[in-house]
Amino acid sequence: GAGVSQSPRYKVAKRGQDVALRCDPISGHVSLFWYQQALGQGPEFLTYFQNEAQLDKSGLPSDRFFAERPEGSVSTLKIQRTQQEDSAVYLCASSYRAGGISTDTQYFGPGTRLTVL
Amino acid sequence: AQRVTQPEKLLSVFKGAPVELKCNYSYSGSPELFWYVQYSRQRLQLLLRHISRESIKGFTADLNKGETSFHLKKPFAQEEDSAMYYCALSPAFFQGAQKLVFGQGTRLTINP
């Protein structure tokens, strides 16, 4: 079956522009995560959705970052007034369950590489 | 605070030699530990998790709670093992979410 997809794969923005990054999780997956991966670093957690509810946004670096998942499937990560430090790969991951005895496997998308000039 | 440390950014070994990728973590509770791998031009994918106690592609990892380590080992490296490897932990039950905390990653190169 289809995996997690993300679009666009590459985005170049001028400083100050707004961008929107899309994630299509695996069908039926309840949980959706966004991670930010700066060059040479491991992914860092941004936010988490359980269906349409955003249960954790503790990793969002500033109020310029906003994420939504209005119908519990597709999610959009929006960055307003982009800055050069926002340049990174943004990864989306989904998992089947919301919780349980053990952590469910997260399936990652290919990422969106954002470059802010 | 939760932290995962992978002390080696780069690791190079010859084909057929043993390989060990180090991972240390800090967490006050009982986390779950994982190894994720990213092959060239592929997406990040789960390699193994400590609760499964499996050997995947010849790799094993043992959780040592006393040393807070979860090192990844393979007795005989193969060229197809060349990839980026990330150690990650999941804090236990954070509001039902199992976010992952990743290390910086180790790039493993297997020389022929």
Side-chain angles (χ1 to χ4, degrees):
Chain A
V4 178
S5 60
Q6 293 185 243
S7 61
R9 292 293 311 280
Y10 303 91
K11 176 69 179 177
V12 178
K14 291 184 179 179
R15 190 173 56 181
Q17 282 185 331
D18 298 348
V19 299
L21 312 180
R22 177 187 169 106
C23 172
D24 283 81
I26 294 172
S27 178
H29 278 198
V30 168
S31 296
L32 186 145
F33 303 81
W34 283 99
Y35 294 87
Q36 179 190 58
Q37 186 173 20
L39 189 64
Q41 303 295 318
E44 290 194 5
F45 170 79
L46 293 177
T47 187
Y48 161 70
F49 290 86
Q50 184 181 121
N51 295 308
E52 69 277 4
Q54 188 175 19
L55 297 187
D56 184 0
K57 52 183 181 180
S58 63
L60 296 177
S62 76
D63 58 8
R64 296 187 295 104
F65 287 71
F66 171 77
E68 60 183 4
R69 192 186 185 198
E71 297 179 358
S73 83
V74 171
S75 176
T76 304
L77 177 66
K78 298 179 179 178
I79 309 173
Q80 298 177 322
R81 305 181 302 281
T82 52
Q83 304 294 314
Q84 284 189 320
E85 61 262 29
D86 300 335
S87 294
V89 175
Y90 290 85
L91 296 170
C92 176
S94 69
S95 66
Y96 180 65
R97 294 178 295 154
I101 297 172
S102 64
T103 302
D104 207 10
T105 298
Q106 292 186 23
Y107 296 88
F108 283 81
T112 294
R113 182 177 296 277
L114 172 65
T115 303
V116 181
L117 302 176
Chain B
Q2 308 133 18
R3 183 180 299 170
V4 176
T5 303
Q6 294 179 250
E8 303 137 330
K9 290 200 101 170
L10 302 171
L11 183 62
S12 182
V13 301
F14 286 102
K15 177 183 172 181
V19 61
E20 181 179 47
L21 288 81
K22 290 184 167 44
C23 172
N24 289 88
Y25 67 92
S26 63
Y27 181 62
S28 57
S30 295
E32 292 190 60
L33 273 296
F34 306 83
W35 277 97
Y36 275 78
V37 62
Q38 188 166 25
Y39 301 103
S40 179
R41 299 188 189 87
Q42 294 188 26
R43 60 188 66 190
L44 198 59
Q45 59 186 285
L46 177 67
L47 178 63
L48 55 78
R49 55 199 299 166
H50 87 270
I51 62 169
S52 299
R53 296 183 170 272
E54 293 176 304
S55 173
I56 306 294
K57 299 186 178 182
F59 284 99
T60 58
D62 291 319
L63 178 62
N64 186 323
K65 291 185 178 180
E67 296 183 358
T68 59
S69 68
F70 188 57
H71 304 325
L72 183 68
K73 300 177 184 179
K74 185 170 182 176
F76 307 103
Q78 299 173 295
E79 288 185 66
E80 53 265 34
D81 296 330
S82 294
M84 194 76 183
Y85 290 80
Y86 294 96
C87 182
L89 76 77
S90 176
F93 296 108
F94 182 78
Q95 296 182 353
Q98 296 96 31
K99 65 180 181 181
L100 295 170
V101 177
F102 287 89
Q104 288 193 326
T106 298
R107 182 170 296 283
L108 176 64
T109 302
I110 307 301
N111 300 307

